[in-house]
Each structure stands twice: as structure tokens, then as C-alpha cells.
Amino acid sequence: MKYLLLITFTLLLTSANVWAQKNDELKLRNVLVVAQQDDLSDRYSVEVALLELFKSYDIKTIASLNVLKQGGSADVLMADTTRQNLKEKGIDTYLLVSVRGYNNRFKPSTKINDFEEEIKAGHLYPLYRESASNVTFTFTFYRDLKPVHYELIRTGTVGSKEAVMKKLMKKVERRLLKEWL
């Protein structure tokens, strides 16, 4: 009985240690938020909402709309001068947010694209579509242009663009508190 208790206790400590190490890989302290929507109003909505949420938890945050010129390409984020300017401002983590689609069937990808591929990828889905029952978002975090964390977030039943944003922010806040801080 003692051995069983000892083995159980050891397994619990080991799994808790592995879980703690997994959370340590992200630990958000600063982030550049890049919403990958074609519609400028959708980009603005996502970036500003995430900016406000992250700042409320003392995470240094910059929206890509403050870095890119209006209508400019996100490819500028790969330029050495832009990266150096962001580093001087204390930003070393980039968050790319995009709409993956409008159903529950999406599963997390087994391969996370590198930063350059993801920035150049087309993202045609708007935040809200009338026939959609829910919206699935991808959140990909990069440090030094290398992927460190990727996950899908689904919003559930949606009825408007505002409802999508409200549900998304609730879910992101939960993830932020449980996993990202």
C-alpha cells in the first residue's frame, strides 16, 4: 500500500512539473497583435479588443495597425528594421490571429507554419457570416519569428459581429488566465 501511494504521489508530481514547463513556454509579458483579416474594420475590431484585454493584465501590447502604414502589407513585420524597432520597444512576441472557418470540425494543425509563411497566407474569412453557427479562430504566438504556441478558439453560436467579438474576448480571457500568463 505504501508503494502504491508513493508511486501515485511521484506520478502526480511529475505530471504537475511537465504541465508547469508547458505553461512556461509562453508566459506573455509583451505582444504585437496582428489580426489577419482582409477587412480593415475586422482587423481593427480584433486588434483593439485584444490590446485592451492584454493591457488590463499588464501585458505590454502594440497593435499591428500602429506599426504598419494604412493599407500596408504585413510583410513589413519581417523586415530587420521593423523587428529591431519593436525589440527596442520591448516587444519580442508576435500573435497572429485569423479566422479559420465557421464550423466545429476544425482540429488543431499538427504543423505550425513559420512566421513568413503565415504572414503571406491569404485569410479571406470575415469575422461574421450570417449563415455561420460559430466561428473558429487560430491564435499563433511567435518569439524571434519561431512558433511557440498554437491553438484554436471557437466562439459558439453567433448572431452578429459584436456577438462574435464578445464571445471571443471571454474565451481569450479564460485562456489568458489559465495558460498564457
Side-chain angles (χ1 to χ4, degrees):
M1 183 67 178
K2 289 180 185 179
Y3 292 113
L4 182 61
L5 188 60
L6 182 62
I7 290 171
T8 305
F9 183 70
T10 304
L11 287 174
L12 284 173
L13 282 178
T14 305
S15 64
N17 189 29
V18 168
W19 183 80
Q21 287 175 358
K22 182 180 177 193
N23 278 352
D24 282 346
E25 76 181 22
L26 190 54
K27 289 259 187 199
L28 280 182
R29 293 173 297 283
N30 62 72
V31 66
L32 171 74
V33 178
V34 182
Q36 296 183 287
Q37 279 74 36
D38 288 340
D39 182 23
L40 189 59
S41 68
D42 286 353
R43 283 182 60 199
Y44 180 81
S45 296
V46 172
E47 288 188 12
V48 169
L50 288 171
L51 185 99
E52 290 174 359
L53 177 65
F54 290 157
K55 283 194 176 194
S56 71
Y57 288 97
D58 295 324
I59 298 170
K60 186 176 192 169
T61 310
I62 297 176
S64 73
L65 294 170
N66 294 336
V67 176
L68 304 173
K69 293 181 180 176
Q70 187 172 354
S73 171
D75 292 350
V76 172
L77 297 174
M78 293 182 299
D80 290 338
T81 54
T82 305
R83 290 186 18 236
Q84 187 61 36
N85 289 340
L86 289 169
K87 198 166 212 114
E88 288 171 6
K89 293 178 182 178
I91 302 295
D92 68 353
T93 305
Y94 297 2
L95 165 60
L96 302 183
V97 180
S98 62
V99 175
R100 175 92 179 256
Y102 302 106
N103 65 36
N104 284 326
R105 295 182 194 166
F106 293 109
K107 302 220 182 314
S109 178
T110 56
K111 178 188 177 276
I112 303 173
N113 292 335
D114 68 2
F115 188 76
E116 184 176 356
E117 279 182 75
E118 194 61 34
I119 281 291
K120 291 181 177 184
H123 298 279
L124 305 174
Y125 296 115
L127 281 178
Y128 172 72
R129 187 171 75 182
E130 196 164 314
S131 62
S133 60
N134 62 47
V135 182
T136 302
F137 291 86
T138 60
F139 279 68
T140 311
F141 292 89
Y142 293 86
R143 285 212 175 101
D144 298 320
L145 302 185
K146 293 181 177 79
V148 292
H149 186 77
Y150 165 85
E151 66 183 278
L152 298 177
I153 297 179
R154 292 181 180 91
T155 60
T157 307
V158 294
S160 68
K161 183 176 172 178
E162 292 78 23
V164 169
M165 289 305 301
K166 186 176 179 180
K167 288 183 178 194
L168 177 64
M169 289 306 110
K170 279 184 179 181
K171 290 197 174 219
V172 168
E173 185 172 22
R174 274 190 238 130
R175 296 276 172 89
L176 180 65
L177 293 172
K178 288 182 179 179
E179 299 175 19
W180 299 350
L181 285 178

